[in-house]
Structures are given as C-alpha cells and as structure tokens.
Amino acid sequence: MNSSSPAAAFDSFRTIDLRGQHLSPAELKAAMPRAETTFDAASDAVSAIITDVRTRGFTALTELAQRFDGVDQHEVRVPAAALDSALEQLDPSVRAALETAIQRTRIFARAQRPADAEVEIRPGAVLTHKWIPVSRVGLYVPGGLAVYPSSVVMNVVPAQEAGVASLALASPPQKEFGGLPHPTILAAAKLLGIDEVYAVGGAQAIAAFAYGVPADDANAAVLPVDVVTGPGNVFVATAKRLVKGVVGIDSEAGPTEIMVLADETADARLVAADLVSQAEHDPNAGSVLVTASEQLAGKVREELGRQVAETKHSERVRTALSGAQSGVILVDGLEQGIAVCDAYAAEHLEIQTADAEAVAARVRSAGAIFVGDYSPVSLGDYCAGSNHVLPTGGTAAFSSGLNVTTFMRAIQVVNYNREALEEVSADIVALSRAEDLPAHGDAVSIRFE
C-alpha cells in the first residue's frame, strides 16, 4: 500500500463517544455498535424450508437448488471422481497452504482433547467423567461472496481429533461448476479424507443434516447427524437456531466482526488494514476501533480513506465500514476500553497497545484474542492453528469457538459397591422423604433387607 499518496479521510466511519460516561454493564452493552438483527425476519422462511425438506426430501432439495442457486440437480451427493479431480487440479501453492493450515490446526486441536477424570469419593465409591465423541457430524461450508476452503479445515480437523467416526460436508452448488460446490472446497475435503460431500446450501443443508433425507431413485439416503457446525448467512444461522435441540450446534454465527483495542502506540496503517480485512467478508461485517487517542482515530480514518480506495472489494468494504455495526468508540482510557471489549464480546479482538500481552490477559469475553502487531486476524483465519469458527453478535460472552469438545459429550459413570451405598443409604432415605419421593429411598433400603 502506498501510504504517502493523498486520500480523503473515511468520514463515514462513525464515532461513539463514551468519554466521561459511567455506564452500567447493561447500558454499555446497549451502546455497542451492532447490525440490525434479522433472525426474526428470516424465521418464517427458514421454517418453511425445513418443513419442505422433512416432508419432500430430495425433491425439495433439488427444487431449492434451482430456486436459490440456479442449478438443475439430479444427484445431490458429489461423485468421488469429482473430489479426486478437484484435488488433482488444485493449485500447488494453495495445496501447500492448506497442508500448513491442516498441520497447525491439528496440533492445537489434539492438545484440546480433554482427559477423563476418575475419583474415588470414599472407599468403594468411584465416579468417572468420561468424554465420548458423537457418532456423526454434519459440517457446513458457505459459498456466496467468497470461497472458504479454510472453513473446511476448521470444521473437519477438530471433529477428526475428537474421534468422530462419520463426517459429512455440505456446500452450495455452483452453476459455473456444473452444479457442484466450488472445486477448492472439494479439494480441501478430499485432502482431509472426507468423501461424503453434498452439493446443498443454506437452510436446506442444515435441515438435511438434522433430520436426514430418505433415499429416492437417484440418491442414497442422507443419514441424520448428532451435531451440525459451520458458519453461514442469516438463513443458515436461523436454521441452526431452529434445529437446536434436535441436534447440537456450534453457534448461531452471524456476520463477521473485529474489534481493535488500540492506544497511541499503535500503527494506524496496521489498525486500518485489519479493519478492512474483516469488512471484506460481508457488507454487514462489523469493524470497530476502541481507543482513548483521538489522534490515532484520525490517522486510522485517513488510512481507511486510502486503503478502502485501493482494495479489490472496495464497495463491499465501504458499505461495511459505513454501517451501524462499525465505527470508532472513544474511551477515557485503558480501563474503560477493556470494559467496552467485554461488553462487545467480539468474535475477533485485536490488542494493539503497549504491553499488549498483559492487556489481553485481562479481557473476559471474546471468541479469539490476537495479541500485538504480528498476530492479525488474518493469521487466525488461515494458519495460526487456532479455529476461525467463532461466536459472533456478543455471544462470546457465553459461548466458545469451534473446538474438539464441540464434537464430544461427557458421560458420568457411577460405580458404588455395597459398603459405599450403605454408608449414604440413610441420607438418601431422608432426602427422598423430604422431597415426598419415598420410592427413591425404598429403592436403596430394599438392597439391605
């Protein structure tokens, strides 16, 4: 980028001035820049799609492919030959990059696998907290404005490291590729050993995974899954919300977002570049700067004016940076800045301050935290080894990014012998009487008659 060329400041990057205000946590959360929620608006349409897939199966899927993707579809599953061909034709540099991402993501995912815990409460009273992988998962990889082979890596690798035996992947059919998903998506799936891939997009893919699809004359059955993961648009997110409880989900991921906490030591060029990088995803993406330095805010606006004009997807970026979900939040200092970060609970939080590592350690709510000048969000998107499927829209306050435990569940195993049960039998009887559930106590007492 040519930082010496003149450019008008990006004045449509709005300012929220919180200086001198002492806001409660609820007031602070309400002051955060957010895109308008559209889940409710999409709910009826998505519910109808789910019902259609459940009742009409592959007939509904092929009609929806024509309606939404402009594709005449007969077989929904991607042929093995198409997966092989996609990998054979993959650009060697892209393959090498994917292999790097896979290797690093696998190392980190493997380290996340929790150990079983066994404890002897008393002699003869043994409890075990046992981690078991789910049997089958459905992984969704979006299409739309960009191609996301990196999302194949981020979804597949932790599921594999969790020990999931059956993995299926869905991605929207593309008219320009003969009704198949993008070949780079197919190549990434093949590289990871995934051979069950479906050319299905949107809410209909989530419905197919959640409820399964019976076989017809042209298609083998799609078996239902235990967990559905992966990012997508508002229709995908709404579908995941509606099937939650039928299957497990990772999160209801909405448009991407970045918050940068920066002080006067930050480099405005880097801050602006990172804000632009996330705005590139989606016109609804959120890019937010938090700082106590008006001077830095001004320099970042100047850099945005220059960098937005020069970037490939300039119009998309401009729309995102001008939206209600983006802007500068001015704060009194670092303490208020950290409070803002916790209230926003960013999907991606960058710390570009003096002593960035210590500041990052104080943050309580974020999907992922990127520390210092050399840990940009782009690193996490591809090759850090961390996972880029992260909670958005403030849900990082109570949920986590995709990880190995997303694909596992814990079973409690209770193993008492006669003496250990007898030791607490009177307590069980007393509590069962207090709760007016005497048969509970009788089920213990009968063992000692």
Side-chain angles (χ1 to χ4, degrees), residues 102-113 157-158 161 384-387 402-404:
I102 291 167
Q103 179 190 40
R104 294 185 177 210
T105 305
R106 197 175 296 285
I107 290 169
F108 191 41
R110 189 168 294 159
Q112 296 165 11
R113 185 172 177 126
V157 170
E161 290 304 316
S386 57
N387 203 293
L402 194 65
N403 63 84
V404 164

Side-chain angles (χ1 to χ4, degrees), residues 59 80 87 92 104 138 151 184 192 198 205-206 260 327 330 341 370 420 442:
T59 300
L87 184 56
R104 294 185 177 210
S151 285
T184 310
L192 283 157
Y198 298 97
I206 307 305
V260 181
L330 292 175
C341 291
F370 299 83
D442 294 344

Side-chain angles (χ1 to χ4, degrees), residues 364-383:
R364 305 287 296 173
S365 294
I369 303 173
F370 299 83
V371 184
D373 288 353
Y374 298 99
S375 303
V377 169
S378 300
L379 172 65
D381 282 341
Y382 298 115
C383 291

Side-chain angles (χ1 to χ4, degrees), residues 141-151 171 174 177 182-186 382:
V141 178
L145 295 175
V147 183
Y148 294 105
S150 57
S151 285
S171 191
Q174 308 279 317
F177 299 111
H182 195 285
T184 310
I185 300 296
L186 301 183
Y382 298 115

Side-chain angles (χ1 to χ4, degrees), residues 84-92:
D84 293 337
S85 175
L87 184 56
E88 288 169 5
Q89 296 177 36
L90 183 64
D91 183 314

Side-chain angles (χ1 to χ4, degrees), residues 62 72 158 243 370 433:
T62 54
D72 290 321
V243 302
F370 299 83
R433 299 291 188 268

